Amino acid sequence: MKYFAVFFFTLFSTFGFAQDTESNVPQRVSGYIINDNSKQPLPNVNIINTNKVRGAKSDAKGYFEIDVQPNDTIHFSILGFQSLRIRVTNDWIKNKVTRIQLTEKAIALEEVIIAPFSLTGYLEVDSKLIPTKENYRYSISGLTQGYEAGEYSPNAFGKVLGSIFNPADVLYGFFGKNGKELKKLKEMKKDDTVRNLLESKYDRETVSVLLGVSKDEIPEILQRCNYSDSFIQTANDLQIMDAISACYEQYKVLKRN
């Protein structure tokens, strides 16, 4: 009886270990994405596993495949449709294929007023009417173009240094609470699909999802990192992510010191 109990315990432990190991192995799931209204397939939908920072796109038939683990969150987005987040269940992994329905957005077009400069034709006068910017230029790794930084310095060290000694500061709270999400920035660079998606977007939605912050917090974070309003308003989502990543790396260095 003693030997039987030992054998049973060993067998049970091995089975439990095998199940645990299997649950940690990425598995591939798939699905079809359709228009909720017309029931037609939706091609070129952006699909991101926000836990692993891996991306995919749906094909002409709305079909996609992506690697997941149980409880991962999958984010679906495409222009003109409401974004959708779905948690990966064991049923989805078991069945392999599912159907996703996206709903069109009701977009109201607003009046746009273009206000040109009222120039006089006299250079001395007009040069004072046109606003000038005295921002520094900086570069982000992986990008060939330079972009504007803050008014007083080309980096964020001054702002970040102040945040470390002020627990109420936005940067201290953000970097302190979101370390896990910020580690995804390195993973992001490994997936070309995710990088290409971010490079083509300006709505901050994907940045918000990946970092676990609201869209309204992103400009404030970048301002505290000493990036200019011009950059914050015009940069694409890839540049925004790289800017936050650079600021975070500086924060870690200063905090160690």
Side-chain angles (χ1 to χ4, degrees):
M1 182 68 181
K2 178 181 177 181
Y3 293 108
F4 176 77
V6 172
F7 173 76
F8 179 78
F9 177 77
T10 304
L11 181 64
F12 180 79
S13 300
T14 304
F15 177 73
F17 176 77
Q19 277 193 320
D20 183 64
T21 302
E22 184 179 352
S23 66
N24 291 327
V25 175
Q27 302 183 58
R28 181 158 289 249
V29 297
S30 60
Y32 290 90
I33 306 174
I34 63 172
N35 185 322
D36 184 30
N37 182 40
S38 67
K39 308 304 179 186
Q40 295 298 310
L42 285 176
N44 299 317
V45 176
N46 300 300
I47 304 127
I48 295 181
N49 182 333
T50 61
N51 296 80
K52 305 296 183 295
V53 198
R54 294 292 182 268
K57 273 183 178 287
S58 59
D59 63 17
K61 296 180 180 179
Y63 179 78
F64 71 93
E65 294 183 351
I66 193 166
D67 290 335
V68 300
Q69 288 179 342
N71 297 318
D72 281 355
T73 299
I74 310 299
H75 182 75
F76 300 86
S77 65
I78 187 173
L79 188 64
F81 287 79
Q82 296 179 11
S83 298
L84 183 66
R85 272 183 273 183
I86 296 179
R87 188 173 295 276
V88 177
T89 63
N90 289 321
D91 287 341
W92 187 2
I93 293 176
K94 180 179 178 181
N95 297 326
K96 298 296 183 183
V97 181
T98 191
R99 188 173 72 163
I100 309 295
Q101 299 186 72
L102 297 185
T103 304
E104 289 185 73
K105 287 182 179 178
I107 302 175
L109 298 179
E110 299 179 357
E111 181 181 6
V112 177
I113 299 176
I114 300 176
F117 297 114
S118 298
L119 302 180
T120 64
Y122 294 94
L123 180 61
E124 184 178 355
V125 176
D126 292 342
S127 62
K128 297 178 181 179
L129 293 175
I130 300 175
T132 59
K133 297 178 181 178
E134 298 178 353
N135 294 328
Y136 287 84
R137 304 287 289 181
Y138 72 96
S139 61
I140 292 178
S141 60
L143 301 175
T144 57
Q145 187 176 351
Y147 301 93
E148 291 183 353
E151 297 179 3
Y152 304 108
S153 76
N155 56 54
F157 272 91
K159 294 285 186 178
V160 177
L161 184 61
S163 75
I164 292 175
F165 300 105
N166 182 3
D169 191 275
V170 172
L171 279 185
Y172 186 93
F174 172 71
F175 289 142
K177 292 186 299 184
N178 296 273
K180 183 178 180 181
E181 283 76 11
L182 287 161
K183 289 178 181 178
K184 295 178 182 177
L185 295 171
K186 292 183 179 180
E187 294 298 317
M188 175 196 72
K189 297 180 180 181
K190 299 177 183 179
D191 194 292
D192 290 338
T193 303
V194 176
R195 288 185 65 83
N196 292 338
L197 166 62
L198 291 172
E199 194 171 15
S200 65
K201 296 191 71 175
Y202 294 82
D203 59 9
R204 312 298 184 244
E205 179 186 336
T206 307
V207 177
S208 172
V209 170
L210 290 176
L211 295 183
V213 298
S214 69
K215 292 183 182 180
D216 295 335
E217 289 178 282
I218 294 171
E220 189 169 5
I221 292 166
L222 290 169
Q223 286 169 355
R224 299 302 179 100
C225 289
N226 211 26
Y227 288 97
S228 70
D229 290 338
S230 175
F231 170 78
I232 294 170
Q233 294 170 8
T234 62
N236 61 43
D237 286 358
L238 176 61
Q239 294 159 2
I240 294 294
M241 289 286 275
D242 275 342
I244 293 176
S245 177
C247 188
Y248 178 54
E249 293 302 320
Q250 293 170 0
Y251 167 84
K252 290 194 299 182
V253 170
L254 291 174
K255 198 169 190 306
R256 283 199 299 267
N257 297 334

